[in-house]
């Protein structure tokens, strides 16, 4: 980047990038997985899946909150020459980097249906829900602080994820009108007035 600027990706967008594919793969796997009766039977499979959904969503939504909080509190102001990455680019990089993991998880969820019907798919959907809840929590922090949180692109892992990993030494902050994603990482619904 020119004059010492860095490429920055929105933290909430990176977190939220996996929510939709995990949710939809989970819904499809649960729907297809409900067809075979499996070893346990459909009723037990669906009940086990509901429990796994709740546990998966809670685990993903609550893990590493203290790390995110510490990084957010120490966020420095983004520099004049920093380049803000578009939401679509961040999402595409994450999904491209994780595509084989997503397909493997989908296949595993389908395969598990022959033992516990629908449970694997419901777990995947729960993980996607947990990511969306975590992104929403980050969005609430951003609104309260009136500052969007960004992470250096070169500090993300090689698959474009892990915005609170060991390589991340700090976050950058901008005003809430910066970039093309609203607090929490969703697309902006209306154009921001400058």
């Amino acid at each position: 980047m020119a004059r010492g600027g860095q490429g920055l990706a929105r933290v909430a967008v990176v977190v939220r990038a996996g929510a939709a594919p995990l949710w939809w793969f989970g819904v499809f796997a649960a729907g297809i997985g409900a067809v075979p009766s499996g070893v346990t039977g459909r009723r037990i499979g669906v009940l086990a899946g509901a429990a796994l959904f709740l546990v998966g969503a809670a685990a993903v939504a609550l893990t590493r909150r203290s790390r995110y909080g510490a990084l957010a509190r120490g966020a420095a102001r983004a520099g004049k020459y920093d380049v803000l990455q578009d939401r679509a680019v961040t999402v595409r990089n994450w999904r491209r980097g994780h595509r084989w993991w997503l397909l493997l998880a989908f296949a595993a969820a389908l395969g598990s249906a022959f033992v516990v019907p629908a449970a694997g798919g419901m777990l995947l959907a729960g993980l996607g829900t947990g990511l969306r809840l975590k992104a929403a929590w980050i969005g609430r922090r951003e609104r309260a602080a009136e500052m969007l949180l960004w992470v250096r692109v070169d500090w993300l892992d090689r698959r474009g994820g892990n915005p609170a990993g060991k390589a991340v030494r700090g976050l950058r902050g901008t005003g809430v009108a910066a970039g093309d994603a609203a607090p929490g990482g969703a697309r902006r619904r209306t154009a921001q007035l400058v």
Side-chain angles (χ1 to χ4, degrees), residues 22 25-26 31 41 71 81 83 99 118 147:
L22 282 170
F25 276 146
L71 287 170
Y81 297 104
V83 178
R99 64 185 178 274
M147 178 176 68

Side-chain angles (χ1 to χ4, degrees), residues 76-173:
R77 200 75 180 153
K80 179 179 180 181
Y81 297 104
D82 287 336
V83 178
L84 306 181
Q85 191 174 82
D86 289 344
R87 179 186 186 277
V89 174
T90 303
V91 170
R92 184 176 64 240
N93 289 344
W94 190 98
R95 292 181 182 171
R96 191 174 288 162
H98 291 81
R99 64 185 178 274
W100 297 113
W101 290 106
L102 291 169
L103 290 172
L104 184 63
F106 179 65
L110 283 178
S112 70
F114 293 100
V115 180
V116 187
M122 293 175 81
L123 173 61
L124 275 187
L127 298 178
T129 301
L131 288 176
R132 190 172 292 263
L133 291 172
K134 181 177 280 187
W137 174 76
I138 293 170
R140 288 192 296 276
R141 288 190 66 105
E142 289 176 327
R143 284 189 193 91
E146 295 185 350
M147 178 176 68
L148 300 181
L149 298 172
W150 301 79
V151 62
R152 281 176 48 172
V153 173
D154 59 328
W155 285 351
L156 296 174
D157 65 21
R158 61 188 175 89
R159 292 185 303 272
N162 206 5
K166 289 181 181 177
V168 179
R169 296 189 289 275
L171 300 179
R172 305 273 177 94

Side-chain angles (χ1 to χ4, degrees), residues 29-30 32-52 108-123:
I32 296 167
V35 174
S37 58
V39 174
T40 62
R42 285 187 197 94
R43 183 172 178 273
I44 291 175
V46 170
L47 290 174
L52 287 172
L110 283 178
S112 70
F114 293 100
V115 180
V116 187
M122 293 175 81
L123 173 61

